[in-house]
Amino acid sequence: MVSRSYTNLLDLASGNFPTFGRTGKKLPRVMTVTGVISDLDDENTNSITSDGPSSVSQDRMIIVGNQLPIHARRRRDSKGWDFSWDEDSLLLQLKDGLGEDVEVVYIGCLREEIELDEQDGVSLTLLENFKCVPTFLPLDLFSKFYHGFCKQHLWPLFHYLLPLSPDLGGRFDRSLWQAYVSVNKIFADKIMEVINPDDDFVWVHDYHLMVLPTFLRKRFNRVKLGFFLHSPFPSSEIYRTLPVRDELLRALLNADLIGFHTFDYARHFLSCCSRMLGIAYESKRGYIGLEYYGRTVSIKILPVGIHTGQIRLVLRFPETEARVAELRDQFKDRIVLLGVDDMDIFKGISLKLLAMEQLLMQHPEWRGKLVLVQIANPARGRGKDVQEVQSETYTTTKRINERFGRPGYTPVILIDSPLKFYEKIAYYVIAECCLVTAVRDGMNLIPYEYVICRQGNPTLDRILQFDPSVPKKSMLVVSEFIGCSPSLSGAIRVNPWNIDSVAEAMDSALVIQESEKQLRHEKHYKYVITHDVGYWANSFLQDLQRACRDHIMRRYWAVGFGLSFRVIVLDYTFRKLSVDHIVSAYKRTSSRAILLDYDGTIMPQTSINKTPTREAINTLKSLCNDSQNVVFLVSGREKKTLGEWFSSCDKLVIAAEHGYFLREKSDLEWETCVSVADFEWKQIAEPIMQSYTEATDGSYIETRESALVWHYQDADRDFGSCQAKELLDHLESVLTNEPVSVKSGQHIVEVKPQGVSKGLVAERLLSMACQRDKLPDFVLCIGDDRSDEDMFEVIMSAKSGPNLSPIAEVFACTVGQKPSKAKYFLEDTTEIVRMLQGLASAASNPQTLPE
């Protein structure tokens, strides 16, 4: 079946993103009144900014997930469909936390396949009656996307299962990845049909749509976009095995806010960003953020809650009360342990059964008294692993029952048929203890539901003959590998792989004093009711609003192709330096000051051979030979090295070691720009640096005449960064009374005399230029890193000072599009050298230009 929202996009993963054609009826984009939408056509727009102001005055949240919170049933006459809300869907429940003044629109797939000729009618019905926009996918594409890439690659990997053999998930299949990208692009097209980018918030859910932020950010640079991952995020050692690891990370960083259930998941994500992308995070006033090309990507850590109101409502159902009464009679004089899990390899059902077997072996007093009820929900995936889990579960259950069971007593009751929600609730109510032994689970809300159900209500108290004046009680045994474990401080946490430990924890949960059970239940109950799904959704929305509040005041540049796309936040006056413009200004002026950084500006940072090319030297010589120019070269390198490299540039002024040494001509001696009484501080700093070097593999010390520099770019990224922070604090404490400054840079920690900076070189350049007959009327300053920002600051502030001509043309230029005090940029060293060659050519071929 061919879907109206699909076209063949398997070339997307290679970076080619064709425009999706939309056939049939197109949904308009901006909803103004329920069921009535104004049509703002965007078919032919390709701007990097959002569209014009919206006519929507009400806040609106577009919630995007793999599946809509909708049940669809074919009518008995096969003529059309009936739709209803899926009350168990998290996407529907979170609406309670957004407030009545927030309009919610849902985008996602339906569980049922809709024929092509029915799609328009279904879309209209869902939009008008439920404010849902369905995404229709062909079966073959959906299978590759969901059962292929999501379930064969992402889901196992995020749960720490590596494809070490073809039987364990299979090898990476690029066609599945291409299907994943294609589906994410289709979802993006659906969002574009209804979004008002200046006003709407978009909240994307889970690992099925991890590259969706890139497509949205590419179309609407100022889109207010949040993403929440409901699964674990693995450690960097696991995640780095994914062939498309960088693409997924960069896609997520196109969101404004990224949410995780636990700090561990967030920590793993931040570690991956640091190790694989070189992006470090910062924590400020309780908020964690990543600086990504001028944007701050915020990190949210908050476990999701449950819809307590829904459970309380179900507890009052007559059928729930009746079922509780039945279970009371069924398990009379028995103690019930309860497990509720999906039938998959990560839920640890077989480990739980083995622990039950171990408990009955080691504690025979529980035989005949203790029953484990294991509710096994149908598996969400499919494949050989599910069949193996089912087989092992059935085999173990049978063995335990045959060994310890007797007439009238079955120690393990396995329920593998679908249960209605009220039936599960009834089991929660009568269970003395709930067991969750998953070996890896993103969150798992079973313990929360259990706690609410154990609180009960007056009617259930009468059915179970509980004294209303006695505090309620509950016990939890939970795996330390599930997301809810950190929030359940009263639970008995276990390593599910340690069968003996789990068995002993089960015994402890049963024999613990009643008062202790009551206190633990009270603690858990207070947490669950105050941190429900509404609290979680409201907290996420507040953080998303905070993360996006400055969008409208910022200027965005779109950079990159395909899944490498990102936006850069820049000053409104920041623009690319036009070679024609600067050459024209160069020709018009007659007193010029030129200040050039070396590494990363004239010579690429990635180059192993740092010796200047003949082309670069000839260009500098041409600029220096123009009597109207004063040309400075500044570098952090030693004076001996720079003197040898540029010995043929007689008139080039060289500043070495970031301006500590300076030489005006090749036949003059080097002079110091800062007076330093002695360097005795080196005897203090060097042994400390040496101890850190010995402890940090890959680090080394660079000894300069004026400075000591500890480099760690070849060390482990996380460990090197940690050691650098420690070294910085250590040096600052022992050198407090010394006339030095201790600074950290890009993979370095540097100790140098106070007052030494490239800003000092810029001041010296302007001073030398002012000694001429005419004040400088042309200033060019180029650099690439943080140390060059001092130069830019001096140059830009001099525009209003006495050292420049009132009509001076000032060009402060950085390398690459990034936040900077410079007003211009060029992309790379190649463009820098080409521009300098243009100036040198203009100097050798002067032309008289009209004023």
Side-chain angles (χ1 to χ4, degrees):
M1 181 187 76
V2 180
S3 169
R4 293 186 184 276
S5 60
Y6 171 76
T7 189
N8 188 5
L9 300 170
L10 295 185
D11 58 343
L12 281 174
S14 62
N16 300 318
F17 297 128
T19 301
F20 277 67
R22 300 188 184 104
T23 61
K25 183 176 180 180
K26 171 181 176 287
L27 284 176
R29 280 204 307 114
V30 182
M31 183 180 296
T32 54
V33 184
T34 304
V36 180
I37 310 176
S38 60
D39 190 5
L40 299 182
D41 186 51
D42 66 342
E43 287 292 336
N44 299 316
T45 59
N46 192 29
S47 65
I48 62 169
T49 59
S50 56
D51 293 320
S54 165
S55 59
V56 180
S57 59
Q58 183 183 32
D59 286 339
R60 189 167 69 155
M61 172 73 80
I62 299 175
I63 297 177
V64 190
N66 177 47
Q67 289 186 340
L68 288 172
I70 292 289
H71 285 307
R73 292 186 304 276
R74 172 73 74 177
R75 292 172 184 163
R76 293 182 179 179
D77 58 4
S78 299
K79 296 180 180 180
W81 294 83
D82 289 322
F83 300 101
S84 61
W85 287 114
D86 179 3
E87 300 292 344
D88 297 331
S89 172
L90 174 66
L91 300 187
L92 179 63
Q93 294 173 354
L94 66 81
K95 185 178 179 180
D96 288 357
L98 302 181
E100 295 181 357
D101 58 334
V102 177
E103 179 188 3
V104 176
V105 177
Y106 293 100
I107 295 179
C109 297
L110 290 168
R111 296 179 179 88
E112 291 74 15
E113 183 184 6
I114 308 298
E115 294 297 329
L116 180 62
D117 59 355
E118 297 179 300
Q119 291 180 9
D120 282 346
V122 167
S123 296
L124 187 59
T125 299
L126 290 176
L127 183 61
E128 291 179 344
N129 299 332
F130 299 90
K131 294 185 181 177
C132 291
V133 179
T135 301
F136 301 112
L137 303 175
L139 285 179
D140 59 338
L141 179 66
F142 178 81
S143 180
K144 288 183 177 180
F145 156 70
Y146 184 77
H147 298 293
F149 192 77
C150 290
K151 288 301 183 181
Q152 286 185 23
H153 293 309
L154 286 185
W155 190 73
L157 186 78
F158 282 15
H159 289 76
Y160 288 74
L161 183 63
L162 292 175
L164 299 177
S165 71
D167 293 334
L168 296 174
R171 304 306 186 195
F172 183 79
D173 187 339
R174 189 154 292 274
S175 68
L176 302 182
W177 162 245
Q178 290 168 338
Y180 181 83
V181 174
S182 299
V183 170
N184 277 250
K185 180 63 170 67
I186 293 172
F187 269 81
D189 283 347
K190 279 296 177 184
I191 296 172
M192 292 175 192
E193 292 178 355
V194 299
I195 190 175
N196 181 6
D198 288 325
D199 297 325
D200 295 348
F201 291 91
V202 181
W203 188 355
V204 181
H205 289 265
D206 222 1
Y207 63 92
H208 312 90
L209 302 171
M210 290 178 70
V211 300
L212 179 56
T214 288
F215 294 117
L216 290 181
R217 186 70 61 187
K218 185 176 184 180
R219 178 59 185 89
F220 304 117
N221 295 167
R222 290 186 177 87
V223 65
K224 302 170 185 177
L225 178 59
F227 180 92
F228 200 95
L229 183 67
H230 294 275
S231 74
F233 196 95
S235 70
S236 60
E237 291 304 304
I238 298 294
Y239 180 79
R240 70 195 306 174
T241 63
L242 187 64
V244 290
R245 60 190 191 184
D246 289 358
E247 290 89 334
L248 290 180
L249 288 178
R250 293 190 183 280
L252 287 180
L253 291 175
N254 276 316
D256 296 297
L257 178 65
I258 306 173
F260 300 92
H261 287 306
T262 72
F263 174 71
D264 276 347
Y265 303 161
R267 176 170 57 86
H268 294 158
F269 173 76
L270 295 172
S271 176
C272 288
C273 290
S274 173
R275 288 176 174 271
M276 296 163 210
L277 303 181
I279 303 172
Y281 74 91
E282 294 181 357
S283 181
K284 184 182 295 185
R285 297 184 178 180
Y287 295 102
I288 300 174
L290 290 158
E291 287 298 320
Y292 188 59
Y293 292 96
R295 295 172 52 246
T296 299
V297 181
S298 299
I299 303 298
K300 176 76 172 177
I301 302 170
L302 184 66
V304 69
I306 61 173
H307 197 295
T308 57
Q310 180 193 30
I311 294 180
R312 286 170 172 162
L313 179 64
V314 176
L315 285 171
R316 295 196 296 266
F317 285 179
E319 51 264 51
T320 304
E321 297 168 356
R323 185 58 176 152
V324 169
E326 292 174 5
L327 295 177
R328 176 202 61 193
D329 297 337
Q330 178 182 347
F331 296 108
K332 188 177 182 180
D333 301 326
R334 301 273 195 267
I335 298 174
V336 177
L337 303 177
L338 178 65
V340 181
D341 305 278
D342 292 342
M343 185 72 81
D344 69 50
I345 59 176
F346 297 111
K347 294 302 187 287
I349 295 178
S350 60
L351 297 176
K352 187 186 306 178
L353 296 175
L354 292 175
M356 178 65 177
E357 183 178 33
Q358 188 81 349
L359 177 64
L360 295 177
M361 290 172 55
Q362 296 180 350
H363 298 274
E365 67 272 16
W366 291 119
R367 300 174 189 176
K369 300 178 181 178
L370 190 64
V371 175
L372 171 62
V373 176
Q374 176 61 55
I375 299 174
N377 301 321
R380 300 182 187 181
R382 61 189 184 187
K384 183 179 178 181
D385 56 342
V386 174
Q387 297 174 3
E388 291 175 349
V389 169
Q390 291 174 333
S391 175
E392 184 180 10
T393 300
Y394 297 146
T395 301
T396 308
T397 300
K398 182 179 179 182
R399 183 177 71 243
I400 296 174
N401 289 336
E402 289 178 349
R403 182 174 181 180
F404 300 105
R406 58 172 183 259
Y409 172 64
T410 303
V412 177
I413 298 177
L414 178 63
I415 304 174
D416 59 354
S417 57
L419 290 181
K420 293 182 179 180
F421 189 52
Y422 78 86
E423 295 182 280
K424 292 181 183 179
I425 293 294
Y427 278 103
Y428 285 143
V429 172
I430 58 97
E432 183 73 14
C433 178
C434 182
L435 309 174
V436 181
T437 56
V439 297
R440 190 72 60 179
D441 205 349
M443 185 59 196
N444 200 310
L445 298 175
I446 298 301
Y448 291 178
E449 295 176 349
Y450 169 71
V451 168
I452 295 297
C453 292
R454 287 291 288 179
Q455 187 67 18
N457 59 43
T459 303
L460 293 176
D461 289 346
R462 288 194 300 271
I463 294 173
L464 297 173
Q465 300 178 351
F466 287 164
D467 184 352
S469 63
V470 177
K472 300 301 174 57
K473 63 180 181 178
S474 64
M475 283 302 298
L476 288 167
V477 176
V478 300
S479 166
E480 61 191 43
F481 300 114
I482 64 176
C484 68
S485 175
S487 63
L488 298 169
S489 56
I492 301 177
R493 299 191 183 99
V494 295
N495 174 4
W497 299 103
N498 189 336
I499 304 300
D500 292 335
S501 174
V502 177
E504 288 304 314
M506 294 163 66
D507 180 65
S508 299
L510 297 173
V511 301
I512 199 170
Q513 294 182 356
E514 293 295 300
S515 59
E516 182 69 15
K517 293 180 181 179
Q518 293 165 358
L519 289 173
R520 294 187 184 217
H521 171 80
E522 181 183 8
K523 187 174 187 179
H524 291 157
Y525 181 71
K526 287 181 178 179
Y527 176 84
V528 173
I529 62 173
T530 56
H531 293 75
D532 61 1
V533 66
Y535 171 86
W536 170 76
N538 181 261
S539 179
F540 189 90
L541 177 58
Q542 288 181 347
D543 278 13
L544 182 58
Q545 290 172 334
R546 178 185 56 81
C548 302
R549 63 189 174 193
D550 296 330
H551 276 19
I552 197 66
M553 297 182 291
R554 293 176 175 175
R555 181 178 179 223
Y556 293 84
W557 287 72
V559 178
F561 299 96
L563 295 178
S564 296
F565 174 85
R566 67 268 188 201
V567 294
I568 300 175
V569 178
L570 303 171
D571 188 89
Y572 271 96
T573 60
F574 191 73
R575 60 186 183 274
K576 187 167 185 176
L577 181 58
S578 167
V579 175
D580 291 340
H581 175 54
I582 192 172
V583 168
S584 175
Y586 184 91
K587 292 178 179 179
R588 288 197 305 269
T589 53
S590 57
S591 179
R592 312 183 192 100
I594 301 174
L595 179 55
L596 306 174
D597 175 48
Y598 181 69
D599 287 293
T601 302
I602 296 177
M603 178 58 62
Q605 289 281 15
T606 55
S607 177
I608 297 178
N609 182 9
K610 298 295 185 179
T611 306
T613 63
R614 179 175 299 179
E615 179 184 52
I617 291 178
N618 290 337
T619 300
L620 290 175
K621 287 174 67 176
S622 297
L623 292 172
C624 292
N625 289 335
D626 189 330
S627 60
Q628 297 177 334
N629 294 344
V630 176
V631 184
F632 266 61
L633 181 77
V634 60
S635 172
R637 294 185 176 274
E638 295 179 320
K639 63 182 182 181
K640 180 181 178 181
T641 301
L642 295 174
E644 292 175 352
W645 283 354
F646 298 99
S647 59
S648 61
C649 301
D650 299 336
K651 299 179 182 180
L652 179 65
V653 184
I654 303 177
E657 300 190 18
H658 293 313
Y660 180 74
F661 293 107
L662 189 136
R663 190 187 69 183
E664 296 189 11
K665 291 184 179 181
S666 61
D667 56 351
L668 297 179
E669 295 296 323
W670 289 90
E671 60 179 282
T672 57
C673 296
V674 177
S675 177
V676 178
D678 59 64
F679 288 92
E680 291 184 0
W681 55 265
K682 284 189 175 182
Q683 299 175 13
I684 302 173
E686 190 165 12
I688 296 173
M689 284 188 172
Q690 188 61 44
S691 67
Y692 280 82
T693 302
E694 293 173 357
T696 312
D697 187 36
S699 65
Y700 65 93
I701 301 172
E702 179 188 359
T703 302
R704 300 173 181 169
E705 288 189 47
S706 67
L708 290 174
V709 186
W710 188 71
H711 295 262
Y712 62 95
Q713 64 263 32
D714 296 328
D716 178 88
R717 190 179 294 275
D718 287 345
F719 183 57
S721 178
C722 179
Q723 290 289 80
K725 292 177 182 177
E726 290 292 326
L727 176 59
L728 185 69
D729 292 341
H730 196 165
L731 291 173
E732 285 179 338
S733 65
V734 300
L735 298 174
T736 301
N737 299 322
E738 299 294 333
V740 296
S741 62
V742 184
K743 292 186 177 182
S744 62
Q746 189 171 10
H747 301 126
I748 66 166
V749 175
E750 184 178 22
V751 185
K752 61 183 179 181
Q754 290 178 348
V756 175
S757 71
K758 291 185 178 180
L760 186 67
V761 179
E763 293 175 354
R764 181 67 176 267
L765 168 70
L766 295 176
S767 176
M768 287 182 61
C770 288
Q771 295 175 6
R772 297 185 165 202
D773 297 335
K774 184 179 179 182
L775 289 176
D777 54 5
F778 177 96
V779 179
L780 171 62
C781 180
I782 311 178
D784 75 299
D785 63 18
R786 187 186 305 173
S787 64
D788 299 310
E789 296 297 314
D790 294 335
M791 296 192 303
F792 299 147
E793 185 174 10
V794 170
I795 293 299
M796 297 305 297
S797 61
K799 291 176 67 176
S800 57
N803 292 332
L804 292 181
S805 168
I807 59 171
E809 303 255 19
V810 178
F811 300 91
C813 179
T814 188
V815 182
Q817 298 184 48
K818 58 180 180 287
S820 173
K821 294 175 182 176
K823 298 303 179 184
Y824 297 94
F825 73 90
L826 288 172
E827 294 289 355
D828 50 35
T829 57
T830 302
E831 290 193 355
I832 297 291
V833 173
R834 188 180 301 123
M835 182 270 294
L836 293 176
Q837 288 175 336
L839 299 184
S841 176
S844 60
N845 298 288
Q847 296 180 11
T848 303
L849 294 178
E851 292 293 332

